[in-house]
Amino acid sequence: MIKLKFIPGNGQDYPHICVDKCAHVQLKLFTFRLHRVDSSGDRTECLDNEVTLWEGQSSLYELNFSKEQLMTNKNQYLPNDVLQLLCECAITIGIVWEGTENITFGCPSSIQEGNLTSDDLKSKMLLDSTRILKENLKSSYKENLLCDTKLKTKTGSFPAHKNILSARSPVFKAMFTHDMKEKNSECVDIEDLDDETVQRLLLYIYTTTLQDLRWDSACNLYAAADKYEIQV
């Protein structure tokens, strides 16, 4: 069925193994591992390969030792002037593989190139989507786009969006959806918080980002988040 032919090398040239498939033999895949056996019976792997076999095909594979190396250690590798090779092989006669090799339509180039697994892609897409959403929300906050309420302290007023505040805080949600004065008002009075804390609180609500926190600022922000039941 399968013929393995040893082709010796000359001097420093490496020898080769030629794999031949006999005609009219139904073989699909041939996996083989070749070991060099020394005088003590110890094995050294010199070839490990997998071959898809076609009719009349011959394949040539280089081994990892030369004639010169064998002659230098003749007593070990050529006892009685004999080179002993041990071949382990497995043969498949049925279907080797079925399925879609790759998908290119609408697929990112990184996946087409095989650089990412499907799990990697899902994680990357999730991270990219989260980053884009944060950037968009931060832009809306910084530019005061379509704001419909304000958080008022004793000394400042900070525009915001009721839907964003409601999504992030059950306390704000109750204010805007129940029969409370904030529902129909254009502002929410929070005179117990200073301007810096409100700004940091809004930035966190919109982007889950904390910037340049000192200990006292962190304590004030934590107290504000606790008051409005915002998860930190």
Side-chain angles (χ1 to χ4, degrees), residues 115-163:
N115 295 331
L116 295 178
T117 65
S118 59
D119 288 340
D120 291 334
L121 176 62
K122 291 177 183 177
S123 298
K124 183 179 184 302
M125 292 178 67
L126 179 60
L127 289 173
D128 288 345
S129 299
T130 302
R131 176 182 54 79
I132 293 171
L133 178 60
K134 283 185 177 182
E135 290 175 355
N136 291 339
L137 289 174
K138 185 176 182 179
S139 176
S140 296
Y141 165 63
K142 291 291 187 180
E143 298 176 18
N144 298 330
L145 296 175
L146 304 176
C147 295
D148 53 2
T149 190
K150 295 179 181 179
L151 303 187
K152 293 185 66 175
T153 66
K154 291 180 179 180
T155 57
S157 179
F158 304 92
H161 303 82
K162 289 182 178 180
N163 59 339

Side-chain angles (χ1 to χ4, degrees), residues 58-83:
S58 294
S59 301
L60 197 64
Y61 300 95
E62 185 178 76
L63 304 183
N64 62 2
F65 59 86
S66 66
K67 180 179 179 180
E68 184 178 67
Q69 291 171 339
L70 295 178
M71 296 303 295
T72 302
N73 300 279
K74 183 177 180 180
N75 291 335
Q76 181 179 3
Y77 296 127
L78 296 172
N80 302 318
D81 293 327
V82 175
L83 173 63

Side-chain angles (χ1 to χ4, degrees), residues 38-52:
D38 63 19
S39 58
S40 301
D42 294 331
R43 303 178 184 180
T44 302
E45 185 175 296
C46 51
L47 183 63
D48 186 358
N49 224 310
E50 185 176 275
V51 185
T52 302

Side-chain angles (χ1 to χ4, degrees), residues 4 57 65 67 71 174 188 205 227:
L4 296 180
Q57 176 193 17
F65 59 86
K67 180 179 179 180
M71 296 303 295
V188 178
I205 286 174
K227 174 183 176 181

Side-chain angles (χ1 to χ4, degrees), residues 141 149-160 165 169 171-173 175-176 180-182 185-203 205-206 220-221 223-230:
Y141 165 63
T149 190
K150 295 179 181 179
L151 303 187
K152 293 185 66 175
T153 66
K154 291 180 179 180
T155 57
S157 179
F158 304 92
L165 298 179
S169 164
V171 176
F172 281 125
K173 182 179 180 180
M175 289 181 183
F176 300 136
M180 302 177 69
K181 67 176 183 178
E182 290 83 5
S185 174
E186 294 183 355
C187 68
V188 178
D189 294 321
I190 47 175
E191 296 183 354
D192 57 329
L193 299 180
D194 59 67
D195 292 358
E196 180 186 350
T197 300
V198 172
Q199 287 179 314
R200 291 184 182 278
L201 181 66
L202 284 173
L203 181 63
I205 286 174
Y206 279 79
N220 292 336
L221 181 59
D226 182 63
K227 174 183 176 181
Y228 292 100
E229 299 180 16
I230 299 169

